Amino acid sequence: MLTVGLAMLQGARNEHMHAILKAAADLNVEIEIRELRKSSDVAGIDALILPGGESTAMKIASRSEELYSGIWENVRNTNIPVLGTCAGAILLSQNGLINAGIERNAFGRQRESFQSDIEVNLEEISTFQGVFIRAPRFTDGSGNAIAWLGDEVVGILERNVMALTFHPELTDDFRFHLWLLNEALSRTEHDQ
Ligand code: GLN
């Protein structure tokens, strides 16, 4: 049984829930989705999802319960795999969990939201449908790139922390969620 923590303060949470459940069914693994609302919810999770949405709203919502400080401490101490999408990627960058700068809303007004095929270099994933919604842009960190929109880096994997500026949870393709569960599985096997 794997416990997958999902930050619940704001953003595309249900979509991630569906995607991770599909990935778990595909792998035939039992999972519990732990809805994270306060820092005391974080202990004991095997994997973490930080959804997209509005990073400023997330930070404001976190203040009363200090959810994010609890999350960052847990990730640093345990090295669990993390999947952060869009606003989730912004939070990972701003809190030093990945070594890359990020610029919010970097694609400008007329390209605020768009879809495009992207190139991926992660296990069996080589292309993916990138859904970009008021997407941020990495300003450095290309050494750890795993996804590209043309020349632009749109995905970074550092150790087991993945930051994507697009939204895999808004497609039917749950391969990034499979990656998260497979990472969590291989870590729990090592621990036994
Ligand atoms: N523009 C949002 C922010 O700055 C991110 C957009 C998204 O998560 N789709 O937080």
Side-chain angles (χ1 to χ4, degrees):
M1 162 82 100
L2 289 175
T3 303
V4 180
L6 178 59
M8 291 302 286
L9 294 184
Q10 199 266 340
R13 294 149 289 184
N14 288 338
E15 293 80 356
H16 272 295
M17 243 181 234
H18 288 245
I20 202 75
L21 287 172
K22 280 196 230 162
D26 195 69
L27 289 174
N28 210 6
V29 234
E30 232 182 295
I31 61 164
E32 177 209 342
I33 300 176
R34 168 104 53 90
E35 301 187 0
L36 308 177
R37 293 193 168 80
K38 50 189 190 305
S39 59
S40 58
D41 295 336
V42 182
I45 57 174
D46 300 304
L48 170 68
I49 298 175
L50 300 170
E54 187 51 59
S55 55
T56 312
M58 291 173 185
K59 282 186 245 175
I60 292 168
S62 166
R63 257 176 225 154
S64 56
E65 287 291 357
E66 293 294 325
L67 173 63
Y68 286 110
S69 50
I71 286 180
W72 310 138
E73 198 188 315
N74 185 280
V75 171
R76 288 200 178 93
N77 291 341
T78 62
N79 273 328
I80 53 168
V82 181
L83 176 61
T85 58
C86 207
I90 295 172
L91 296 178
L92 288 171
S93 165
Q94 290 178 341
N95 289 281
L97 277 291
I98 53 165
N99 220 337
I102 205 157
E103 184 192 337
R104 294 180 57 204
N105 303 323
F107 285 88
R109 263 192 169 274
Q110 74 278 36
R111 291 182 70 195
E112 269 177 344
S113 304
F114 59 96
Q115 296 196 25
S116 177
D117 283 339
I118 57 172
E119 261 177 68
V120 179
N121 185 4
L122 178 77
E123 292 159 10
E124 297 97 71
I125 316 179
S126 57
T127 56
F128 202 88
Q129 178 69 12
V131 177
F132 294 87
I133 302 173
R134 289 178 299 111
R137 169 178 279 152
F138 294 114
T139 52
D140 48 36
S142 55
N144 295 305
I146 50 141
W148 297 262
L149 170 68
D151 292 338
E152 174 115 19
V153 174
V154 294
I156 284 182
L157 175 62
E158 250 185 76
R159 301 172 313 281
N160 42 11
V161 177
M162 189 179 290
L164 308 177
T165 62
F166 54 97
H167 289 269
E169 77 284 7
L170 299 183
T171 71
D172 291 331
D173 190 336
F174 50 84
R175 286 177 293 166
F176 282 99
H177 296 80
L178 280 176
W179 168 84
L180 186 75
L181 290 184
N182 276 325
E183 283 292 304
L185 279 175
S186 60
R187 285 171 42 82
T188 47
E189 276 155 22
H190 277 291
D191 292 347
Q192 277 160 14

